[in-house]
Amino acid sequence: MAVNQSQLGQMFEQVLRLSNVDATQSVAILKSHYSDARTVQAATDAALRLGAKVYSVELPAFNHPTAMGNDMTAYCGDTALTGNIAAQRALEAADLIVDTMMLLHSPEQEQILKTGTRILLAVEPPEVLARMLPCEEDKSRVLAAAAVLEKARMMTVTSQAGSDFRAPLGQYPTVTEYGFADEPGRWDHWPSGFLFTWPNEDQAEGVLVLEVGDILLPFKSYARERITLEIEKGFVTQIHGGFEAEYLRDYMRYFNDPEVYGISHIGWGLQPRAQWTAMGLHDKNDGMCMDARAFYGNFLFSTGPNTEVGGKRKTPCHMDIALRRCDIKVDDLLVVAEGEVVAPEASRAR
Ligand SMILES: O=c1ccc(O)c[nH]1
Ligand SMILES: [Fe+2]
């Protein structure tokens, strides 16, 4: 199926309105040659219809010679903006940036946000954007869960498959993603609908078992056999299993950087319109597969960089791994039971 340009424009108008775009605002459309032209046009037209002053910043694409695949989340840190001070100043001048080229996990993104500029990332295919069009209810559900997570001192994750993981919390903030950038200095991602934080440095411990069907990004693969990760002092120390484990080990070893094994953001999915099955219906180059990150009741954990919250790991290798059917506890509150969101009540989809 395909979204027509008029529908896409109307959706952007709704999301930019939720992002507080109006005639008092300036909106920068950040793009590169690989941006989706339909998205760039729809964002531009919608911002103009809302009365904003609109401009584009086009950056020549950046490729790191060791990066593999086309998923922009695979290789983090350096981007087309790195070192381009003039372009960064032009972007910092905006009230809102619609990012259609991907600054995520870059130090420059944090520098821009610190000036009060808002950033909305939109790089998924228009049809995925349409299926997960953000609404106020997404925000209220995610914020209800964040109210619990930001006070927590411990996250524990267990599962029938054998996961038994503990992450002391408190050193790092809670991050929410609900699909629109409505507060000064806020970054958000359309589509999304989940929340996360980071374990205290060097303190995550235990075992995470990827069961058949769990998702590995940026591989965009469903695990077809179990992979067992042993975690000690915040780092993955062993990766056990068959072919899938060997593939993961080989991929991470390729970066020749011990920091790739650090545990990065950890949290859970709250988007009922995201589907575990969706990745199987898309080509690997269609987008970054936000369905996998956001599907309702997942446990999403990641490895690698944590610079975006002032952490010391600026490693380029970033794995996002989504597990089904876990029990997730935040301090003593069970928030997800075998992959079903159970608390807080206000975070549950109607
Ligand atoms: O929305 C996102 C996308 C990727 C990621 O690593 C975090 N959040
Ligand atoms: Fe991630």
Side-chain angles (χ1 to χ4, degrees):
M1 306 287 272
V3 167
N4 68 54
Q5 198 60 31
S6 168
Q7 287 168 314
L8 187 56
Q10 286 161 15
M11 292 191 292
F12 260 97
E13 201 167 327
Q14 174 176 324
V15 177
L16 293 185
R17 193 176 284 116
L18 285 169
S19 300
N20 290 326
V21 170
D22 61 22
T24 69
Q25 300 277 296
S26 60
V27 174
I29 310 294
L30 172 58
K31 61 183 183 180
S32 188
H33 76 266
Y34 56 83
S35 295
D36 186 315
R38 296 188 293 167
T39 298
V40 169
Q41 193 59 56
T44 303
D45 295 347
L48 287 169
R49 279 198 301 275
L50 291 170
K53 293 288 178 277
V54 185
Y55 61 109
S56 296
V57 174
E58 177 152 8
L59 296 175
F62 165 80
N63 179 62
H64 195 285
T66 62
M68 291 193 286
N70 294 319
D71 188 318
M72 300 298 286
T73 67
Y75 193 95
C76 295
D78 295 331
T79 71
L81 189 58
T82 304
N84 192 334
I85 303 303
Q88 185 165 334
R89 293 286 170 271
L91 290 165
E92 288 170 352
D95 294 303
L96 173 76
I97 298 166
V98 179
D99 175 5
T100 70
M101 58 144 263
M102 186 83 170
L103 286 178
L104 183 55
H105 298 312
S106 71
E108 290 77 18
Q109 172 164 300
E110 298 319 301
Q111 292 155 19
I112 292 169
L113 292 170
K114 282 197 175 66
T115 70
T117 295
R118 313 189 302 277
I119 300 178
L120 179 67
L121 177 64
V123 294
E124 290 289 67
E127 291 69 31
V128 175
L129 297 178
R131 183 159 47 81
M132 288 183 266
L133 186 62
C135 57
E136 287 285 0
E137 209 255 337
D138 287 339
K139 176 177 179 180
S140 56
R141 272 205 321 280
V142 171
L143 291 189
V148 168
L149 183 57
E150 57 203 19
K151 291 199 291 288
R153 287 292 168 268
M154 178 70 80
M155 182 185 294
T156 55
V157 178
T158 55
S159 71
Q160 298 286 341
S163 290
D164 184 2
F165 172 77
R166 288 165 309 289
L169 308 175
Q171 182 175 354
Y172 292 118
T174 289
V175 173
T176 58
E177 294 189 28
Y178 46 73
F180 45 96
D182 52 349
E183 307 283 344
R186 177 177 182 79
W187 172 85
D188 212 311
H189 186 176
W190 171 24
S192 61
F194 58 106
L195 73 159
F196 49 86
T197 184
W198 285 255
N200 294 346
E201 284 297 352
D202 307 332
Q203 293 183 17
E205 295 284 340
V207 171
L208 284 169
V209 179
L210 279 64
E211 183 54 286
V212 172
D214 289 345
I215 289 176
L216 295 109
L217 300 173
F219 302 160
K220 297 204 178 69
S221 62
Y222 294 98
R224 290 304 201 266
E225 58 191 10
R226 280 191 179 182
I227 303 173
T228 301
L229 308 180
E230 291 185 32
I231 295 117
E232 293 168 45
K233 296 189 179 58
F235 282 74
V236 176
T237 53
Q238 297 282 339
I239 300 174
H240 303 296
F243 164 75
E244 312 256 13
E246 180 190 358
Y247 188 89
L248 179 58
R249 278 198 303 271
D250 196 272
Y251 177 77
M252 296 178 88
R253 185 172 42 234
Y254 163 70
F255 289 84
N256 193 26
D257 175 354
E259 298 202 329
V260 308
Y261 299 100
I263 298 293
S264 186
H265 58 81
I266 55 175
W268 65 99
L270 288 173
Q271 181 50 267
R273 287 165 291 158
Q275 294 300 309
W276 168 71
T277 52
M279 184 176 75
L281 297 160
H282 277 280
D283 293 330
K284 287 193 185 225
N285 290 339
D286 275 0
M288 64 196 301
C289 193
M290 287 305 288
D291 280 276
R293 291 182 183 84
F295 74 82
Y296 197 64
N298 77 17
F299 169 59
L300 179 70
F301 80 96
S302 65
T303 61
N306 64 354
T307 48
E308 65 196 89
V309 278
K312 54 186 181 357
R313 284 198 307 276
K314 193 190 179 225
T315 181
C317 171
H318 183 58
M319 295 293 304
D320 281 317
I321 300 177
L323 277 63
R324 296 186 297 163
R325 301 182 185 137
C326 289
D327 288 356
I328 306 171
K329 285 178 82 170
V330 173
D331 289 342
D332 296 328
L333 178 69
L334 184 68
V335 292
V336 176
E338 285 198 66
E340 271 310 312
V341 177
V342 292
E345 183 55 35
S347 73
R348 300 187 64 211
R350 301 282 172 263

